[in-house]
Amino acid sequence: MKTIFQLFVALPLLWTASHVMGQTTTPWQVPAAKKTVKNPVAASAAVVEKGKSLYNTHCKSCHGDPGKNNGLPLQPKPTDPASAQYQAQTDGEMFYKMMTGRGAMPKFADVISETDKWSIIHYVRTFGKKKSSADAIEVEADTLAMPASTLLQAGVPIQLNLHIRERDTMLIATLTTVGASGEPVPAAGVEVAFFVKRYFGDLPLGEGVQRTDVNGWAAVELPVNLPGDTAGMLTLIAKAIINDGIDNVSDTLQAAFGKPLVMRNITEERSLWGRARVAPLYIIITFFGALLIVWGTMGYVVMNVLKINRQEA
Amino acid sequence: MSVNKLSPEESRSVLNKIETDLLRPLTHHKGFELWILFLALVFIVGGYAYFIQLRDGLGVTAMRDYTSWGMYIGNFVFFVATSLIGMFISSVLGLLKIKWITPISRIAEMIALAFAMWAGIVIVIDMGRPDRLLNVFLHGRFQSPIVWDVTVVTTYVAISTLLLLLPLIPDAAIVRRRLPDLPKWQMKIYDLLHLGWEARPDQYQTIRRSMRILAILIIPVALSIHTVTSWLFAATLRAGWDSTIFGPYFVSGAFVAGAAAVIIAMYFFRYNYKLGDYITDFHFNRMGQVLVLVSAVYIYFNLNEYFVPAYKMRTAEQLHLHEMFQGHWAFLFWFTQIGCLAIPTLLLIFKRMRKPGIMLWLSVLVLIGAWFKRLLIVVPVQQHPYLPIQNVPESFHHYVPTGIEIMLTFLPIAGVLLIITIIAKLFPVMPVWEIAHEKGVDESMIK
């Protein structure tokens, strides 16, 4: 009897366990027709930038930074897009998986437009061995005055200089590097991120990704009315993203372009909960007023009574 | 009210009898020394308890983090409450020109002063560091009911003292004349106090006018003293104290305790001081009616205070009310509400019950109930905070007063009795001049 009962308990447990564990190994099947779908969006630097930004918004929280294998420890694990397993998928497979989702992987069918989904695929492909669609970017990058990546591989230093053009409150980062014969030359095509320092972390400025132009300039507009410190000072930061953020170069600048912060020290204001010194006026007036009236009257009575022996009949 | 004037001869003999009757206890009082000895004993025991508390701190009481207000605060509220009767009898009834209060007005004033003075001391007993008392005045916040409370209690003591002293001026002159053989220090007091009293009309006028002013002044002060005491509770957000009617609830309850105390004192002075000619059955009858009136008002407030929240049974209040109605506090609660309030009130409605003997026992019951009621207002609420009591030593969960607390409750009670005893030993317990005046004695003779 007892063993049968144990079996009854054990069987469903085993089944559940195997089912749960089995999930990790089940390959994600994509219909053959969907597998072969080609990426209809043409690759370009702009598309890859767009894809990167979309990836950072929608996918990075689970899949992590491509190449760093730092995705969330879920079961099954969200694969690193730079991994061989991920890259082995066709573009069509990736697209299909984004459309449908599975388990913890959300369904992005209605969340991201189709073009944007293909842009993400273009971006993700830049981490692949074959770099099929990323080839286009390299071609484009060659046309720039001086690709930052090449410079850095040669170990040439980059200098970043941040300043404000007061006329239109543009925040401008000027990047220079050293030419073949040691002369300073503008560093073009380098990604620059702009920030304002806040209490908790830095606030990014500008939309999308900024890159230096042929003059080695990148710029964002400085929003007016950003709260600064009590003197209206803002701490502005420009960061040149080099080697995927490994060899960043940055410059900071203090500028009185913010709104001066007016600190409201509520412990100094009159309130019911404050210290005696900041008691509400109406309470002080009532308190001392009542005290004065009552004790004044008592004093008056006492004075009168003390005089009774002096009065003449 | 005009009284038929007596002729000078009649005046002399009537005044003589009143003076003899009322001043007799000043020189003859059997058992006085024994009584003082008894009070002194209570003081010694209580003083020793206080010494232990000072030396070892408030840890010797049962008060802990949650129940941080215990019997001492209950005593404080009870003392403040009982002291309000002085205002009710000499001011409210006095200003209404109710005549029968004349022989008991000084008794009520003595009770008022003694209880109010000791209320202040009871608060110091509740302090773990009484040496920091001055900080209340140095750093007190005008926003805090605690500062208001200290202020109004002090003010009430001052006005009560004046209301006691003013009618003593003519009496001091009478004692001085009638009993010149009293000890020197005692004579000095009458000398100082009689202020050259010659029974001149302008002197009468000054005294009467001053008493009238004070009688009016003491009404708002007395109301605020107990209202502020109630705000010490009601101004906090705690289920059971968070009530809008706490002010009138406390004030009406105060008159119940005070009226009972006055009846007990009346009984004592009538029989012990042999003043049956002055405190008559008529006076007991009237005080019985007063007790019924104030108790009825108090019962009405009790109904509001317990029935309305109980009807709604808000989550936070539920625990507290259940503990009161049928839980840990149920016996005490129903004992005070039914046994010490409803039943005495119902009985006193009948004229047959308003006789000195029965009234004495009913008043003792009412007074004991009044004391327990204060404890029930103070303690149980603190055991049901909004956040559950967790991970604390066992002793934090309940409150059972320690021996030290009980001894330090008897100390102020003995203190109150001592003050009343001293006043009643130094002065007649009734205003001789007012009684003589009511009997038609020529005013110019009362000196």
Side-chain angles (χ1 to χ4, degrees), chain A residues 271-272 274 300 308-309 311, chain B residues 141 143 151 195 200 202 209:
Chain A
S271 65
L272 267 182
Y300 168 79
I308 58 170
N309 61 337
Q311 286 161 347
Chain B
R141 298 167 56 251
Q143 302 98 310
T151 314
L195 292 177
R200 289 194 318 259
D202 64 284
R209 217 178 119 242

Side-chain angles (χ1 to χ4, degrees), chain B residues 109-416:
Chain B
E109 276 315 327
M110 291 190 310
I111 289 176
L113 182 62
F115 274 100
M117 276 173 80
W118 275 94
I121 300 172
V122 165
I123 277 296
V124 178
I125 293 179
D126 186 55
M127 294 177 72
R129 291 289 302 266
D131 51 307
R132 294 183 180 173
L133 178 64
L134 218 57
N135 285 358
V136 176
F137 302 97
L138 293 179
H139 308 292
R141 298 167 56 251
F142 304 112
Q143 302 98 310
S144 162
I146 297 211
V147 166
W148 310 340
D149 210 48
V150 170
T151 314
V152 284
V153 170
T154 318
T155 308
Y156 186 71
V157 169
I159 305 188
S160 293
T161 311
L162 284 181
L163 266 176
L164 185 76
L165 286 181
L166 287 193
L168 275 179
I169 294 171
D171 281 6
I174 294 170
V175 179
R176 196 163 159 265
R177 170 171 55 79
R178 289 283 308 227
L179 307 169
D181 298 332
L182 285 173
K184 253 214 178 85
W185 62 269
Q186 212 171 327
M187 291 310 284
K188 216 174 204 130
I189 296 177
Y190 306 127
D191 255 357
L192 268 176
L193 204 62
H194 90 296
L195 292 177
W197 178 261
E198 291 169 18
R200 289 194 318 259
D202 64 284
Q203 290 184 322
Y204 273 113
Q205 201 201 338
T206 308
I207 295 277
R208 293 215 164 100
R209 217 178 119 242
S210 304
M211 279 170 64
R212 226 180 125 71
I213 294 176
L214 291 181
I216 295 170
L217 190 67
I218 202 170
I219 294 175
V221 174
L223 284 181
S224 55
I225 162 175
H226 215 38
T227 306
V228 169
T229 305
S230 84
W231 287 349
L232 295 178
F233 303 92
T236 60
L237 253 180
R238 299 202 67 149
W241 287 347
D242 184 10
S243 159
T244 52
I245 62 160
F246 247 41
Y249 173 55
F250 270 45
V251 170
S252 59
F255 295 146
V256 175
V262 166
I263 291 171
I264 295 169
M266 276 164 68
Y267 186 92
F268 171 79
F269 287 124
R270 172 177 161 140
Y271 290 103
N272 202 288
Y273 278 42
K274 307 203 171 45
L275 298 175
D277 289 350
Y278 304 88
I279 304 176
T280 59
D281 281 7
F282 168 77
H283 292 99
F284 275 91
N285 182 29
R286 279 294 139 99
M287 269 315 285
Q289 290 172 338
V290 166
L291 187 54
V292 169
L293 172 73
V294 293
S295 298
V297 175
Y298 188 46
I299 290 171
Y300 168 70
F301 274 111
N302 267 287
L303 195 66
N304 279 277
E305 182 56 26
Y306 289 105
F307 175 73
V308 175
Y311 190 88
K312 293 177 282 191
M313 273 298 172
R314 273 194 305 213
T315 328
E317 249 141 42
Q318 196 172 319
L319 201 60
H320 170 62
L321 290 174
H322 276 159
E323 286 289 285
M324 295 290 258
F325 294 160
Q326 36 184 275
H328 184 67
W329 304 96
F331 174 74
L332 262 189
F333 180 77
W334 295 115
F335 170 68
T336 56
Q337 298 289 78
I338 304 285
C340 300
L341 186 59
I343 291 179
T345 310
L346 279 176
L347 290 179
L348 287 172
I349 289 177
F350 302 100
K351 184 147 196 232
R352 263 188 305 148
M353 293 289 166
R354 295 199 295 268
K355 294 279 180 306
I358 303 172
M359 279 177 67
L360 172 71
W361 294 115
L362 289 181
S363 298
V364 168
L365 204 60
V366 168
L367 202 62
I368 290 175
W371 185 83
F372 276 114
K373 184 67 192 290
R374 302 310 182 277
L375 204 66
L376 286 176
I377 290 174
V378 174
V379 173
V381 163
Q382 297 170 81
Q383 298 178 344
H384 312 296
Y386 281 111
L387 294 180
I389 303 179
Q390 285 173 333
N391 304 326
V392 292
E394 175 58 20
S395 64
F396 285 28
H397 286 273
H398 356 259
Y399 175 79
V400 181
T402 62
I404 300 272
E405 281 171 282
I406 293 169
M407 283 192 271
L408 283 177
T409 297
F410 282 115
L411 174 78
I413 293 175
V416 165

Side-chain angles (χ1 to χ4, degrees), chain A residues 220-244:
Chain A
V220 288
E221 199 173 335
L222 189 60
V224 286
N225 280 340
L226 269 180
D229 63 9
T230 45
M233 293 298 269
L234 292 174
T235 302
L236 304 162
I237 303 165
K239 213 181 263 177
I241 314 287
I242 294 157
N243 255 353
D244 279 328

